[in-house]
Amino acid sequence: SLAKNQTNMIGLIVPNIENPFFASIATSIESLLTEYNYITIIMNSNDSHHSEKKMLEKMTALNVDGLIIVYSNEFFFTHSVDYIQKKKRAIPTILLDRYIEDVESPQVYYNNELSGYITTKFLISIGHQNIGMLGANETLINSRHRYKGYKKALKEHNIAINEDWYVETAITFEDGYNKADQILRHGEVTSVICGNDLSALGFMRRAEEIGCRIPDDISVVGHDNIELNRYSSKPLTSIEQNPRKLAEYAVNKLINQIEHKSTNHSFYSDIILEPNLVIGKTTK
Ligand code: RIB
């Protein structure tokens, strides 16, 4: 309320509102914040660091009471983090989904090293040795962590890592489609782990176009397990990252910080969620 010198507005910045994963997160966050009597201002950075910085300035100018940010897929994100942290009146902030090193704001995200590890272990367990990875990009720490888990699983099974089977940056339909050939041209991989479900769908489209059958010739695994999977006739095998859960933790943490202004340490600690592999019809 105004009496408490609050605007009752919370800023949410997401990297790609077209991605159902982030659309679901935004929907959940907004509905939870409404219950707490806050208005959510949603901005879409389009995975651009430049836009994100401008949006942070706008949110500050609007005097939002708190911020929830899913950072853009660009390496120099630390500038945005600095921007928030150096403000005189620090805005309570929660970082969501995309983990960032060395920040004070609490973070809520899935254990990405574990997701890389369990997807790779699963593919090995059903007989794959030549496992490719699409989306192991250096700019996103999530991807680096998934790649780490992937390498760990391969190592445990004495399977050599082949750099040709690893392609960077794949988080859109186009990425999956356009970069598929870089992996498929070698004619060696029998399975591919994708950066998310959108890139997995783009990859599948391209693979089928050039005559590969999914899953008979190539198995495909996505990340996020977007709701579309529940209604698709060929649901992806995918790592589930539950948007509602992410939203609940983020909102609870933020509201606690704003309303209780507590110094209770648990308000400032990170929450790391356990990913879970959902087996669909794209792996065999
Ligand atoms: O779909 C977007 C992807 O980027 C997700 O897997 C999420 O974890 C983020 O890193």
Side-chain angles (χ1 to χ4, degrees), residues 24-25 27-28 31-32 35 242-249:
S24 299
I25 288 178
T27 305
S28 292
S31 93
L32 289 163
E35 286 171 33
N242 187 323
R244 179 81 194 179
K245 231 191 223 177
L246 284 167
E248 275 169 7
Y249 280 113

Side-chain angles (χ1 to χ4, degrees), residues 114-213:
L114 189 60
S115 72
Y117 180 77
I118 59 182
T119 46
T120 312
K121 283 288 245 193
F122 166 71
L123 290 169
I124 295 169
S125 78
I126 58 169
H128 294 275
Q129 296 260 319
N130 295 5
I131 305 169
M133 199 167 197
L134 191 80
N137 47 322
E138 293 299 308
T139 51
L140 211 58
I141 298 181
N142 289 21
S143 295
R144 280 195 260 159
H145 287 170
R146 288 174 191 170
Y147 187 52
K148 209 170 156 198
Y150 161 85
K151 287 199 289 190
K152 187 175 161 208
L154 291 179
K155 203 167 168 213
E156 276 178 21
H157 292 266
N158 289 316
I159 302 172
I161 291 152
N162 187 329
E163 303 269 316
D164 288 343
W165 302 343
Y166 155 110
V167 175
E168 288 192 4
T169 314
I171 47 170
T172 61
F173 290 120
E174 296 79 20
D175 288 338
Y177 183 85
N178 293 334
K179 295 181 183 188
D181 287 1
Q182 288 180 48
I183 288 187
L184 294 169
R185 67 170 176 220
H186 306 289
E188 292 165 336
V189 298
T190 60
S191 56
V192 176
I193 300 167
C194 298
N196 64 5
D197 291 348
L198 302 192
S199 61
L201 292 170
F203 176 88
M204 274 165 55
R205 171 82 199 175
R206 177 63 190 153
E208 284 174 340
E209 246 173 40
I210 60 168
C212 296
R213 289 163 308 156

Side-chain angles (χ1 to χ4, degrees), residues 217-246:
D217 300 322
I218 299 202
S219 286
V220 177
V221 182
H223 273 81
D224 301 345
N225 195 30
I226 54 177
E227 208 184 344
L228 188 92
N229 275 332
R230 275 206 276 147
Y231 300 96
S232 157
S233 50
K234 199 193 266 185
L236 283 161
T237 294
S238 184
I239 284 285
E240 182 171 76
Q241 306 201 109
N242 187 323
R244 179 81 194 179
K245 231 191 223 177
L246 284 167

Side-chain angles (χ1 to χ4, degrees), residues 10-46:
I10 302 291
L12 168 65
I13 303 180
V14 291
N16 177 8
I17 200 80
E18 278 185 324
N19 180 339
F21 174 62
F22 297 121
S24 299
I25 288 178
T27 305
S28 292
I29 288 179
E30 184 178 42
S31 93
L32 289 163
L33 284 173
T34 304
E35 286 171 33
Y36 284 104
N37 221 11
Y38 285 86
I39 292 168
T40 311
I41 308 211
I42 302 171
M43 294 190 190
N44 176 27
S45 73
N46 265 321

